[in-house]
Amino acid sequence: MRSLTAMPGPHPRNLVRWMVVALAMTLSACSREAEAPRPVEHGTRLAGVLIDPQMDEISGLAASRRHRDVLWMHDDGGNPERLFAVSTNGTRLATLRVEGVTKTDWEDIASFELDGKAYLLIADTGDNGGLRRSLQLHVIEEPAKLENARLRPAWSIAFRWPDGPRDCEAVAVDAEREQVLLISKKRQPPELFSLPLRPTTGTALQTAQKLGPLAGVPQPSAEALTRSPQRARLDSQVTAADISPDHRTMAVMTYRWLLLYPRLGDEGWGEAVSRAPRFQPLPWLPQAEALGWSADGSALYATGEFIPAPLYRIVP
């Protein structure tokens, strides 16, 4: 859920006002099929811009495993239970309502394939106040058509943390191991947890298993803490995660950084995140909260809350 204290200083809507004309001019040279995007910096391209007023507060992004050049996105708590099908140039293609669930604070989404079907996992795991005793994950089969429609979960997972409430905005799925991975946000260092993707105990409340802390998350310098202590402390908070389609690399987003944790051999993700990652600064985003690997695993897409918001394609 959007926090009024998350982004100190001028309101992000004012900070991005100057982007509208520049981004529109860039996109006018691109077709709706997203031709070659314009480079922004080394390894990063501007794929599009989110300007649709319905897509304010985007907090989760995942590439479709069923529809080419389509991203699934959702917005934050306080909005209807819905998913957006969005082209890779930022154009909204369809809005789908999710029935049979209550939306408390959706914070991330993951796409995966299981038993020959394409699924999405929605993480209702936001907890700014640290008050929720149970949280929910909803698994939905991707629809065959990209049109306004209604969906229902194939199954849901109710769970709790092993050691008390915490905020979580980053969730990923390793379908090969049938494992859901969750990363805490506000505690330092961030911690990795796991849950079974298909619990055998039906509707019983699951308990997430702690796998260990994330090593090497960049921390603010003394200079940054002096200059802007609130902003500096936010930079290292984890806001999104995703596992590459080949199940070999976990990408983790903070408000400032992109971190990549490769998995060696048959080791688990707890071992993988115990080593310092490769990391790079993110391109500028208004509250970076949405990240997902492309369907072919060659790049990552990233965007943020508030509109207009750039949609980047990052080749790490």
Side-chain angles (χ1 to χ4, degrees):
M1 182 177 295
R2 179 180 293 175
S3 170
L4 295 178
T5 61
M7 297 294 289
H11 197 285
R13 291 185 193 277
N14 297 327
L15 294 177
V16 301
R17 203 177 291 272
W18 62 270
M19 296 178 60
V20 177
V21 174
L23 293 179
M25 290 175 64
T26 300
L27 292 175
S28 67
C30 303
S31 71
R32 294 180 66 87
E33 290 73 35
E35 295 174 357
R38 179 180 178 180
V40 175
E41 60 184 57
H42 180 69
T44 299
R45 293 179 181 273
L46 180 63
V49 58
L50 307 185
I51 58 174
D52 192 312
Q54 286 198 47
M55 297 195 295
D56 192 13
E57 294 195 73
I58 292 298
S59 59
L61 177 160
S64 172
R65 302 297 180 92
R66 189 167 190 174
H67 303 282
R68 184 177 178 182
D69 295 330
V70 169
L71 305 174
W72 291 103
M73 299 185 189
H74 64 73
D75 49 15
D76 220 331
N79 295 292
E81 295 85 357
R82 60 189 178 183
L83 294 174
F84 302 114
V86 182
S87 73
T88 50
N89 67 9
T91 302
R92 180 169 59 91
L93 304 173
T95 302
L96 297 96
R97 294 296 296 263
V98 182
E99 298 183 325
V101 304
T102 299
K103 182 179 186 178
T104 302
D105 195 1
W106 291 6
E107 288 292 2
D108 207 357
I109 184 171
S111 59
F112 63 95
E113 293 181 76
L114 190 67
D115 299 333
K117 296 181 179 180
Y119 290 99
L120 302 168
L121 181 141
I122 301 169
D124 193 343
T125 56
D127 190 8
N128 284 328
L131 301 174
R132 298 179 67 180
R133 296 190 177 185
S134 65
L135 306 103
Q136 293 78 41
L137 307 172
H138 305 296
V139 178
I140 298 171
E141 186 175 353
E142 283 199 43
K145 296 181 179 180
L146 296 177
E147 60 186 12
N148 295 347
R150 298 178 182 272
L151 304 172
R152 297 186 71 88
W155 71 90
S156 295
I157 303 167
F159 75 98
R160 66 179 181 88
W161 303 109
D163 54 356
R166 64 185 65 217
D167 197 14
C168 172
E169 295 189 5
V171 176
V173 171
D174 185 341
E176 192 173 67
R177 296 177 176 230
E178 296 197 13
Q179 188 177 37
V180 181
L181 298 156
L182 309 100
I183 303 173
S184 62
K185 179 181 181 182
K186 295 176 181 176
R187 301 185 188 185
Q188 292 296 331
E191 294 174 313
L192 180 67
F193 295 80
S194 71
L195 284 164
L197 179 57
R198 292 193 283 196
T200 57
T201 52
T203 59
L205 188 65
Q206 308 291 309
T207 300
Q209 177 187 356
K210 186 184 293 187
L211 299 182
L214 272 65
V217 178
Q219 297 299 307
S221 65
E223 180 184 354
L225 286 168
T226 301
R227 183 174 60 250
S228 179
Q230 186 179 16
R231 172 70 264 177
R233 291 189 181 96
L234 285 170
D235 283 346
S236 58
Q237 291 188 3
V238 173
T239 60
D242 199 19
I243 291 174
S244 58
D246 63 3
H247 312 288
R248 302 306 305 175
T249 304
M250 179 185 292
V252 176
M253 170 190 270
T254 76
Y255 282 119
R256 184 180 178 188
W257 303 100
L258 170 63
L259 299 85
L260 299 170
Y261 291 93
R263 188 166 62 85
L264 304 180
D266 294 328
E267 71 179 1
W269 288 109
E271 290 80 13
V273 302
S274 69
R275 295 186 302 274
R278 179 163 60 94
F279 65 90
Q280 63 191 67
L282 287 170
W284 186 87
L285 281 168
Q287 196 154 329
E289 294 214 357
L291 178 80
W293 286 97
S294 61
D296 63 3
S298 64
L300 290 140
Y301 286 96
T303 191
E305 291 197 3
F306 308 107
I307 55 169
L311 174 64
Y312 293 112
R313 187 177 188 273
I314 304 170
V315 178

